Amino acid sequence: MAKAKDKRREKISIATEIDRLEERRARCQDNLERAEFRSRKEKLSEEDRQELEDEIAIMNERVQKLDRELQTLRGENRKNMLLSVGLLAISALFYYVFLYSEEAS
């Protein structure tokens, strides 16, 4: 099943994947803030408080994991952008060399 998921992700652009992860991170962050607010404002039994703290810890781990994935994807996006700019510069250089060599002839 993981292979099918990876194949689907291969077809998605990096920018789309970044947007998707940012949305997931925002939802996790909202849930985390709600849980933290609830832990501060509500009077909870010791058992409920422990469950809420466990939930907060899990959400913190998810947010950190998403942050790492986003950092990796943004690095890939930067590499792709630099490659694109480099190819554009080389193409422009060849175009001008070809254009000026035609004028010189």
Side-chain angles (χ1 to χ4, degrees), residues 43-58:
K43 290 194 175 200
L44 301 171
S45 67
E46 192 60 37
E47 182 180 317
D48 289 341
R49 182 168 299 285
Q50 184 61 42
E51 286 178 13
L52 192 58
E53 287 176 6
D54 292 343
E55 185 179 333
I56 289 172
I58 290 169

Side-chain angles (χ1 to χ4, degrees), residues 26-105:
R27 283 194 307 265
C28 283
Q29 191 68 35
D30 288 343
N31 291 338
L32 180 62
E33 288 172 3
R34 270 191 236 113
E36 287 175 345
F37 178 78
R38 183 175 168 219
S39 73
R40 285 191 311 267
K41 295 297 178 182
E42 292 181 15
K43 290 194 175 200
L44 301 171
S45 67
E46 192 60 37
E47 182 180 317
D48 289 341
R49 182 168 299 285
Q50 184 61 42
E51 286 178 13
L52 192 58
E53 287 176 6
D54 292 343
E55 185 179 333
I56 289 172
I58 290 169
M59 283 189 276
N60 274 326
E61 289 173 14
R62 285 182 187 163
V63 167
Q64 290 172 356
K65 180 182 174 191
L66 289 170
D67 284 341
R68 285 190 301 272
E69 288 181 41
L70 280 166
Q71 186 178 12
T72 301
L73 285 173
R74 287 180 178 137
E76 285 183 41
N77 200 28
R78 271 191 292 279
K79 288 178 192 174
N80 288 343
M81 187 265 311
L82 288 173
L83 180 63
S84 297
V85 169
L87 288 173
L88 178 65
I90 290 170
S91 298
L93 179 67
F94 283 135
Y95 175 76
Y96 286 118
V97 167
F98 177 73
L99 184 67
Y100 287 121
S101 67
E102 287 292 319
E103 288 180 5
S105 297

